Amino acid sequence: MLIVTCVKQVPDTTQVKVDPVTGTLIREGVPFIINPFDTYALEESLRLKEKYGFNVAVISMGPPNTEVTLRKALSLGADEVILLSDRAFGGADTLATSLVLAEAIKKLGQTQEVAMVICGRQTIDGDTAQVGPGIATRLGYSQLTLVDHIENVDLKAKTIVVRRRLEGRHEIVQAPLPAMIAVLREINRPRYPIVPMRLFAQDAPVTLWNNKVMGLKEDTIGLKGSATQVRKIFSPQREKGEIIGDGIKYPEAAAGLLIQRLIEKNILCL
Amino acid sequence: MSLNISTIVFAAAIMLFCWSCYRRFRLLLIGKAEDRFKDAGRRIWSVLYYAFGQRCTVSHGYRFGWNHLVLFWSFMILLVANTEFMLEGLFPNYISFSLLPSSIYHPLAVLIEIASVLALLAVCIAITRRLAFPPKYIEARSRDAFIILGLIALLMLAFFGLHASKIAQGNEEAASYMPVSEFLASTFLKNGSPGSLNGYSEAFWWLHAIVLLGFLNYLPFSKHMHILAGIPNVFFRSLTKVNTQPREEFKKGNTYGVGKIDQFTWKGLFDSYSCTECGRCSDNCPATETGKLLNPRLVIHDIKVNLLKNGPPNRKETELPLIGGGKEGSISEEVLWACTTCGACMEVCPVFIEHVPKIVDMRRNLVEMSAKVPDELLSLFENMEQRSNPWGIVPSERAKWAALADVKTFVAGETQYLFYVGCFGAYDARSRKVSIAISRILNSSGISWGILGKDELCCGDSLRRLGNEFVFDRMVMENSKIFKEKGIKKIITQCPHCYNTLKNDYRQYGMELEVIHHTEFINEMIRSGKLKLNGTNDRGNLVFHDSCYLGRYNGIYEAPRSVISSVTGRAPIEMDRHNDRSFCCGAGGGRMWMEEGTGKRINVERAEEALKKNPATICVCCPYCMTMFEDGLKGIKADVQVLDLAEIVSEALK
Ligand SMILES: Cc1cc2nc3c(=O)[nH]c(=O)nc-3n(C[C@H](O)[C@H](O)[C@H](O)COP(=O)(O)OP(=O)(O)OC[C@H]3O[C@@H](n4cnc5c(N)ncnc54)[C@H](O)[C@@H]3O)c2cc1C
Ligand code: SF4
Ligand code: SF4
């Protein structure tokens, strides 16, 4: 049985700036990283693999350089990686992205039964947290979001029990497989790749599925298949703050002033 | 008579000894190859100076080292005497010194007599010391130690008994050259009948024989194996300072680091045989001292035990893992992570055992082969790999500090010196001030210098010491590329860790850089008169702390002291542990990035040591030491300033 892990390669957003004139992202020189949440999704897949003997396939839709991220997945122990890359996929919103990913999962399901799709909670660039649910909806899978612990998988009965973390409470949910699971950072601690695996991953095969392979209708994918179009990107202006006291020379006095101010503004009360 | 029996007994005992030695030393062959023969001339000189001259045991203010020197030399002389005794035992009536011409025999007799007295005295002192003023670690008083000392004492007593009875029998032609034996004979055996004297003589001869053969056969199984392995180990020592670790080749099918005993080199294994268990390494280890699990002597001991257990051929499974087995002969992960790589252990080891490379090798195995690392290191490794700094701060912030100073960017073909700021100097708020002070000094000295700004990368020191050689290797490649592209040849560093890494580690990659630490640079500039100081700046009691990577790693002790004298008008106050015996601040070897949960904090221990000298200022030359001292002083004493040497100099500039 197969676990499909969805990972996205994202620009290191802490290093991204918005061009104030054109209002577009300055991507030049910004390194790409694996979407941090997705490292937890991959780790959880690998742990399930070790525990239950699943195969782990990692899929990612993105430009050709996404290969780097997929090799990293291989070095951590993924069995198979698939890059979904085609000019026609470009400019996709969550609707179009989840379509391509769902179709790829279906395609994988032709050779091996898919038990789970594991996604990150959200990405650090798009931040919508919609792709996972989109996939679940399209494929008709159980939809388990905000998961911080997988309690049990029953392969005979084909059910899974997970813990979801909601505001102020936990929810233990049992659901039939196949299921889409979107994980939180708290779920695990991602492993570090060992060197022999890194070397192996350097020239292991990365399967490319472009639209010739996928054969999807042009008006359902990419920019054309997207329901949302970006009109403008801008950095919100922030009012300049005020420096209270001299925190370097008299930290205690400065802290006193700060507390007083917070009390005045009714943010703190004694 | 006893003649034929003695031949048989001696032959058997000697064969048994050779067999035990063969069985032990053959195990070294399971180790990996390593060339330790090159430069034989210097090696022989080392043996003469350190082993025969006993420089290694009497050094570092070890008073009892003198006792060992006496014992050592008595032993050397007695080796001659006992070789004769053994040959005599093997071939009775054919071999004896007494057959030599008396011009040789007589002086030899005196010499042996003196050596025996001295050996007996030295053994008595050693026993008294162990009973009355025991060394810190408990094993100095082990059964092993007392057995050996007792055997030596007994051997000497048998020797005197034998000679005294021979003299009383009138069978010793050189009696007048054996004052002690002569005295014993005339005092105790004067009235012995010929029969009883013969009995004494024979009894003492056999006592001597049995003790000697027993001693010989006990050697390979005791800590006194160092009598056999110590001197060769001095011959095989590293002829350069052990301030780097060897490169690894990253190729499919290779294994990395040391996870099993046969992955050490033969020299690594030989080290474990040469350990004298003197305990100097652990006495000086900041980890041992502050109650951590790490004890460098035990690391070496465990390697030996593991080798004896897993080394013999035809063993099926290695039931005793080298790392993590939780019993003697196995080293726990916690032990390996506790090392600050301060090098104090290697500095004082009398037989030049190399502890740090072994510890790093085992860390490499944990990181590279099984990814078993303390949680804190996972983010460090990621940050280093992704953003080339320990905190994962955005690289574009690297040059931010420079806005506050008069700094230029390094221009290929124009600028002469690169000021390699380092991660601390660039990102850490406190160390940025030191970077600014250094910039001021560089400007005042009038040299042409520049920085790489946001193009600067981390040198990789912590990664190498933590055993993440794979990522270190990549970082060296990236840095080397930048240095080559920009034609950088001369580098001034702020941090001793950058200094050591660029200077000693990068050499393995063909990078011959002239690397200068800022203390050396400032000293040079003051001496040559290029830096003008505004009279003396008395700073009250100023205590100086030696950074391990400057001092022990690179022998820089004088430069900072001489700068302090020039600037403040008086020499710095020395802490109890200083120069090559200095005590680590606790941050080296990647410890900076790890929790310190067990025992006392190393930096607190060191800060308290500094406070004993009642300082107004503590002067450091390293951003790690700076952080550790400031942290260590927190909550103890707030009115002591911790300053970098550069800050003190910068304030004293005209
Ligand atoms: C304001 C805005 C502007 C944008 N502008 C552009 C643009 O100009 N050009 C452009 O190409 N894109 C653009 N995008 C990106 C695009 O719309 C989304 O990134 C994409 O649809 C995925 O949504 P997300 O990043 O919010 O993922 P989320 O729904 O937050 O991701 C949840 C999980 O789904 C999985 N996942 C998400 N995306 C992928 C993927 N590609 N491959 C594999 N798994 C995935 C991961 O497991 C992830 O953790 C923009 C997004 C926003 C919000
Ligand atoms: S290098 Fe320092 S910390 Fe490490 S074992 Fe030696 S003395 Fe102890
Ligand atoms: S390793 Fe060296 S210093 Fe430590 S106990 Fe052995 S001989 Fe002594």
Side-chain angles (χ1 to χ4, degrees), chain A residues 48 51-52 149-154 159-162 174:
Chain A
L48 290 169
K51 198 160 168 198
Y52 299 100
H149 185 63
I150 294 185
E151 307 266 330
N152 187 36
V153 179
D154 187 337
T159 54
I160 184 167
V161 181
V162 301
Q174 186 182 47

Side-chain angles (χ1 to χ4, degrees), chain A residues 206-224:
Chain A
V206 171
T207 311
L208 173 73
W209 285 354
N210 52 23
N211 204 31
K212 266 201 211 108
V213 180
M214 297 298 294
L216 301 173
K217 274 200 241 127
E218 293 268 327
D219 58 353
T220 58
I221 54 172
L223 198 59
K224 282 192 210 145

